[in-house]
Amino acid sequence: MRIPFIAGNWKMNTTVGEAEKLVKEMVIPLDAIGGIEKVLCPPFVSLLSVKKIIQGFDVGLGAQNMYFELKGAYTGEISPLMLGELCEYVILGHSERRLYFGEVDDLINRKVRASLDNGLKPILCVGEKPDEKEEGRTEEVIGRQLRGALSGIEPTVKLTVAYEPVWAIGTGKAASGEQATVTVDFIREVVAGLWNREVASGVRVLYGGSVTASNVGEFVASSGIDGALIGGASLRSEEFVSIVSRTADLKGAR
Ligand code: PGA
């Protein structure tokens, strides 16, 4: 049984004050929606403040990135040990990290390993770029990203994979429910091939890319899609709450 899952990726938005305001707006309505996991991923500098506000509520916390070393002379980086005290999840391999910060599969693999070794649950993002989609290379690209990121990693249902086609992120042009379903099923097949079918059937796979309250139903109606990773719409409290609520309803979670 996979528990439905909605995560909000706030990206590089909100000052500490703004993050506190945003989480205060949504924590009570989010807490009231049962049978579904909801996780907020604010910027690093707001993790502690947000953690204090969600304490005692049924809302989880995640970071947006992490370095793989535990400590040392890595100016500007954040380690799994630091995150371990603050949150449960960490987004890794987001396409914006790959695009703007040169992250490659090998680095992402080290991060995935370090997260799991230190008790964090990785949300691994994969997805094809627009030209790769046009060239019909979606499965080739995603297969490579998954094999790279999961190389040498012990099978675990602590992994969540987010399918985020790059052409759909922040563009208002979401994939169709059908497109997302085909690729999410492919992702679970690849994980089954790399690990085994039993673990793969327990690994949650999300869709991400221009998800809103009005289109989330298209994705979560699919039995293989366990929820969504929300960017822009997670910065609007009402919208985010209704995404969670619609997902819980459609998944029959409450
Ligand atoms: P978006 O971003 O919802 O703004 O398209 C999704 C993501 O990058 O996780």
Side-chain angles (χ1 to χ4, degrees):
M1 251 295 277
R2 303 188 301 263
I3 298 169
F5 188 21
I6 297 286
N9 172 13
W10 294 5
K11 308 194 179 184
M12 197 176 73
N13 295 293
T14 67
T15 62
V16 176
E18 287 164 350
E20 288 175 346
K21 182 170 176 283
L22 186 58
V23 70
K24 280 177 187 159
E25 282 168 16
M26 46 181 148
V27 67
I28 292 173
L30 285 178
D31 177 68
I33 308 167
I36 180 167
E37 213 175 331
K38 326 100 193 182
V39 169
L40 307 177
C41 305
F44 289 129
V45 293
S46 295
L47 281 170
L48 184 57
S49 320
V50 171
K51 179 183 162 71
K52 287 178 181 160
I53 298 167
I54 62 176
Q55 199 99 47
F57 291 99
D58 183 19
V59 175
L61 194 59
Q64 300 174 16
N65 182 31
M66 185 197 83
Y67 194 52
F68 61 82
E69 292 286 359
L70 298 187
K71 59 179 175 174
Y74 302 100
T75 302
E77 291 298 316
I78 302 283
S79 91
L81 291 180
M82 299 171 188
L83 292 183
E85 275 189 11
L86 293 169
C87 61
E88 187 180 354
Y89 287 92
V90 59
I91 298 172
L92 295 175
H94 191 281
S95 64
E96 288 150 15
R97 300 294 319 165
R98 296 177 193 255
L99 180 66
Y100 302 127
F101 304 98
E103 291 203 7
V104 293
D105 292 329
D106 178 57
L107 174 69
I108 297 163
N109 174 245
R110 288 167 185 245
K111 292 184 177 194
V112 171
R113 176 168 304 119
S115 67
L116 290 165
D117 284 351
N118 290 281
L120 291 158
K121 296 176 185 162
I123 301 173
L124 169 67
C125 302
V126 297
E128 80 285 7
K129 294 187 211 142
D131 54 320
E132 294 165 338
K133 176 182 188 280
E134 271 159 38
E135 290 160 16
R137 294 171 51 216
T138 298
E139 296 196 347
E140 173 204 321
V141 168
I142 290 173
R144 193 187 60 225
Q145 290 173 333
L146 287 170
R147 282 192 303 277
L150 299 181
S151 166
I153 307 283
E154 289 296 312
T156 174
V157 296
K158 291 198 173 114
L159 172 76
T160 295
V161 180
Y163 169 49
E164 298 209 309
V166 178
W167 45 269
I169 296 177
T171 58
K173 291 189 204 129
S176 66
E178 201 179 320
Q179 280 173 318
T181 301
V182 169
T183 308
V184 162
D185 289 349
F186 171 75
I187 288 170
R188 201 168 270 111
E189 277 304 305
V190 174
V191 175
L194 287 171
W195 290 350
N196 60 67
R197 200 157 288 281
E198 198 191 330
V199 173
S201 70
V203 166
R204 288 182 291 189
V205 186
L206 315 178
Y207 168 77
S210 296
V211 176
T212 61
S214 20
N215 67 13
V216 68
E218 258 194 73
F219 305 106
V220 300
S222 167
S223 62
I225 303 181
D226 301 302
L229 181 54
I230 317 291
S234 71
L235 294 166
R236 300 188 293 274
S237 48
E238 267 183 47
E239 176 99 18
F240 188 67
V241 169
S242 64
I243 288 171
V244 171
S245 161
R246 274 199 65 64
T247 303
D249 286 345
L250 281 159
K251 290 290 187 194
R254 56 173 176 164

